[in-house]
Amino acid sequence: MNAQALIDTARTLVAGDKGLLAMDESNPTCNKRFAKLGIPQTEETRRAYRELIVTTPGLGECISGAILYDETIRQQKKDGTPFVKAITDAGIIPGIKVDTGAKDMAGHPGEKITEGLDGLRDRLKEYFQMGARFAKWRAVITIADGIPSRGCIEANAHALARYASLCQEAGLVPVVEPEVLMDGDHTLERCRAATEEVLRTVFNQLNSQRVLLEGMILKPNMVLPGLTCPKQAVVDEVADATVRCLLRAVPAAVPGIAFLSGGQSAELASARLNTMNLRFNSRLPWALAFSFARAIQQPALETWQGKEANVPAAQRALLHRARCNRAARRGEYTAAMERT
Ligand code: 13P
């Protein structure tokens, strides 16, 4: 393991005011998002959509790393340029999603365990050769009556740590993503307690598996009330609860925390990240960045609608969200940015 290379990559991913773009939707997830908008669900439409993203002029000003899916990392632009080259030429580090999805967990009704460890060492080797320098694995934790269970939290944390250790062996920075879902009517406090327990367990496991904390990125959820909780929280409450939770559970050796958006609106995701940076930035040991999929892509996807003629407008929408989130890293995002 080349520790210095891992540390350098991890630092670059969260340096300055840039963040990550997750464009690693699996084929079924990508197809589901296309279907909602009446876009045909084919390999070619998925390729065309990803070409739109990676050729967005100026994207590299805001985005340090792009997370790809197995199909995408093997694809090319229409002119034959591999996506990995297009991304690298734009000054963006290519990354790769390597889990094989969250499956129903045996003996744990309503809970999921993420799979993908079998054969992972060989797959990581191949992705490194293809140019990837970081990877992502997402665990999913659900809050509902009587869950999350210890069994589910421990199994997912263990898998995340096994994955992270294998990544570092292969020279890839692991993005460690334990996502506590927003679905449900739970309170902000319940999300905070669950998130804190999950993160503590994840870092215990990362230590057991000898993961170099300086050479990884944490990708957590923000601490939020459930989507159907009658008492929603204002932006300041979310920022407070999230930062307090992270300060308790995330070691200072981790260089950066890059949030997932998890189904928040694009504007709220930017506003909440902005408030955290505005109010706490100088007091935090790690960078607070973003690794959004929907909160960067959704407006662009809705503008594109699968039509070639809409590509420039969709690219403008994508760049706009990327710029809003770059501003949020500096604590300079304002609602007025949405009107320009
Ligand atoms: P969202 O930002 O849409 O939650 O996606 C982030 C991600 O990469 C999920 O694994």
Side-chain angles (χ1 to χ4, degrees):
M1 175 173 97
N2 182 343
Q4 196 54 51
L6 292 170
I7 293 168
D8 291 346
T9 302
R11 283 194 186 143
T12 305
L13 286 171
V14 294
D17 52 12
K18 295 186 189 181
L20 307 182
L21 168 62
M23 49 178 290
D24 61 331
E25 298 82 5
S26 64
N27 289 350
T29 301
C30 189
N31 288 345
K32 222 186 303 165
R33 294 193 183 148
F34 281 9
K36 265 197 191 145
L37 297 167
I39 300 167
Q41 298 114 61
T42 65
E43 183 175 346
E44 175 47 27
T45 49
R46 291 191 297 271
R47 192 207 61 75
Y49 176 56
R50 266 68 182 250
E51 175 162 349
L52 176 164
I53 294 176
V54 304
T55 59
T56 295
L59 197 64
E61 294 161 18
C62 311
I63 301 297
S64 56
I67 314 172
L68 308 175
Y69 180 60
D70 182 75
E71 178 181 86
T72 318
I73 199 170
R74 300 171 194 282
Q75 287 175 324
Q76 298 90 29
K77 286 166 52 181
K78 234 189 183 132
D79 69 8
T81 313
F83 281 161
V84 171
K85 179 166 169 21
I87 290 169
T88 311
D89 288 350
I92 298 171
I93 303 175
I96 181 75
K97 166 199 179 77
V98 300
D99 66 72
T100 56
K103 310 284 161 59
D104 289 341
M105 184 165 165
H108 291 72
E111 300 197 284
K112 304 268 187 199
I113 177 73
T114 300
E115 297 186 347
L117 288 171
D118 288 352
L120 182 57
R121 175 177 270 140
D122 292 336
R123 290 195 290 128
L124 293 174
K125 232 181 252 168
E126 186 192 6
Y127 290 137
F128 184 91
Q129 279 161 8
M130 293 169 92
R133 289 296 175 268
F134 73 104
K136 186 194 97 173
W137 177 293
R138 172 176 177 253
V140 180
I141 305 292
T142 306
I143 299 179
D145 273 355
I147 59 173
S149 66
R150 264 322 282 171
C152 173
I153 293 173
E154 282 173 8
N156 275 294
H158 182 72
L160 275 166
R162 291 267 328 273
Y163 138 82
S165 183
L166 283 161
C167 280
Q168 292 190 334
E169 178 190 86
L172 295 159
V173 167
V175 172
V176 172
E177 182 181 10
E179 176 175 6
V180 177
L181 295 175
M182 288 169 72
D183 304 322
D185 62 0
H186 52 271
T187 60
L188 177 83
E189 169 53 24
R190 188 134 185 250
C191 177
R192 196 228 17 103
T195 303
E196 191 173 321
E197 182 182 357
V198 167
L199 293 177
R200 285 182 192 279
T201 311
V202 165
F203 280 100
N204 281 338
Q205 289 290 333
L206 290 169
N207 286 325
S208 297
Q209 298 303 321
R210 302 178 175 166
V211 172
L212 177 73
L213 298 182
E214 291 84 349
M216 63 162 278
I217 303 290
L218 179 70
K219 176 166 175 168
N221 51 285
M222 294 184 194
V223 173
L224 303 167
L227 275 173
T228 53
C229 175
K231 188 174 178 313
Q232 288 299 310
V234 297
V235 171
D236 279 356
E237 290 172 313
V238 169
D240 279 356
T242 303
V243 168
R244 198 150 24 96
C245 174
L246 295 171
L247 280 170
R248 286 179 166 186
V250 184
V254 173
I257 294 176
F259 292 105
L260 59 95
S261 59
Q264 305 173 65
S265 75
E267 290 83 358
L268 267 178
S270 300
R272 288 163 170 166
L273 177 63
N274 184 70
T275 300
M276 285 184 234
N277 277 313
L278 185 62
R279 296 196 28 217
F280 301 104
N281 188 17
S282 56
R283 282 181 274 160
L284 301 178
W286 2 256
L288 284 188
F290 55 90
S291 177
F292 298 156
R294 282 163 286 180
I296 293 180
Q297 288 185 47
Q298 197 57 29
L301 182 59
E302 286 167 12
T303 304
W304 179 51
Q305 291 175 353
K307 299 192 177 84
E308 179 72 29
N310 295 338
V311 166
Q315 290 183 327
R316 283 195 296 277
L318 190 80
L319 187 64
H320 173 66
R321 288 263 51 89
R323 285 185 168 154
C324 287
N325 291 310
R326 181 176 62 164
R329 279 214 57 187
R330 297 194 301 260
E332 292 174 4
Y333 169 80
T334 60
M337 282 185 76
E338 303 296 352
R339 296 191 290 272
T340 54

